[in-house]
Amino acid sequence: MNLQQLVRKNVWNMKPYSSARDEFKGEASVFLDANENPLNDKYNRYPDPLQWSLKQKIAKVKNIASENIFLGNGSDEPIDLVIRIFCEPRIDNIVAVDPTYGMYQVCAEVNDIEYRKVLLNENFDLDAQKLLEKTDRNTKLIFLCSPNNPTGNLLSREEIKKVLDSFAGIVVVDEAYIDFASEATWLNDLEKYPNLIILQTFSKAWGLAAVRLGMAFASAEIIKLFNKVKYPYNVNILTQNFVGDELDKLELRKQWIATLLEGRNYLINELPKLPFVEKIYPTDANFILVKVEDANSLYKQLADKGVIVRNRNSVSLCAGCLRITVGTDKENEMLIKTLRTL
Ligand SMILES: *Cc1c(COP(=O)(O)O)cnc(C)c1O
């Protein structure tokens, strides 16, 4: 892989914004370099643009070097940045599986990049050859989501491997739900695949969706490109400090995941007993895709009773399907109880 050939020329050649925080990084007693108001102590100073202290903590938890980490305003930020770094508007294209997470296509369209969809097979699994056939010399990115949203399944490791081995561009593997999965993350394969970018997030297993922190893991060279194009202070100090403290609660998070997996089992046991439930798809995430007799009508009936699920009826391969997030024990029981009355 030749990184320079893959990156947009303007991005490769540009000089990044240099902030006051970039120019002077040491200890000092008088800071008159950033036009800040000195009077509101604690929040008056610009935060660390590269979030080194938080990255060191994440590096320990993920067993990876800080230089291989990018932090963004949710995963949505690295999804957008990776497109802006690699794809030339109206010339390059992106290939992704279908159905999958909707933000890849939205970000592609905002950036005026052609987005090519390749249907998953009937088991919602990836066919590497079919995917690669859709690529051409202008395909810069492939998006894979595993466990996939909205289907819930892990994509086959072997097929992902084939894509990584054969594709000359960048492969993004979105692991937003990896903490709920029965297979390991791709993080350990980063060194082996210089064209791999892995996305993870604090929005799901960490229970911090409101805080907005997403992670991208990649080679140090690719991370440098992310840092070049991002907003200088893309992660605010409240988020940096708060998530830093949350990272100490590893034991609690493990318990949460165990609880949610029990809740998932409860739903997997109870849902098929309902007469209008036709199929429960296998899941490695904290949600279940369920095929029912009439998804639109069931969605409305549930909503009328105050229970909101996600109607995926109009999504490719998901006709008749609702996507149900695993809630608290009480919420799961409410859902089942409500369904029994319908
Ligand atoms: C929820 C989700 C995310 C998380 O996005 P954030 O911006 O980090 O909240 C990323 N990818 C997928 C596939 C998701 O379902």
Side-chain angles (χ1 to χ4, degrees), residues 4 22 32 135 150 168 180 183 222 255 280 288 306 328:
Q4 184 174 357
D22 291 318
L32 304 176
T135 64
F180 304 105
E183 279 182 22
I222 291 178
Q255 286 169 27
I280 308 267
I288 306 170
T328 62

Side-chain angles (χ1 to χ4, degrees), residues 62-121:
K62 299 285 176 187
N63 195 19
I64 197 169
S66 301
E67 288 74 21
N68 297 115
I69 305 174
F70 167 81
L71 299 179
N73 188 342
S75 308
D76 294 337
E77 184 179 359
I79 290 169
D80 183 51
L81 290 184
V82 78
I83 295 173
R84 286 162 56 196
I85 290 166
F86 291 102
C87 300
E88 195 61 43
R90 290 179 290 278
I91 295 173
D92 292 332
N93 67 72
I94 293 170
V95 172
V97 295
D98 183 41
T100 195
Y101 186 44
M103 276 306 287
Y104 315 138
Q105 182 166 11
V106 168
C107 288
E109 284 173 0
V110 166
N111 288 292
D112 209 358
I113 309 297
E114 184 194 347
Y115 183 86
R116 300 179 176 178
K117 300 177 183 184
V118 179
L119 269 189
L120 291 167
N121 68 24

Side-chain angles (χ1 to χ4, degrees), residues 74-76 101 104 145 149 174 176-177 201 203-204 212-214:
S75 308
D76 294 337
Y101 186 44
Y104 315 138
C145 184
N149 180 3
D174 188 340
Y177 300 98
T201 179
S203 297
K204 307 286 155 68
R212 307 308 301 137
L213 194 71

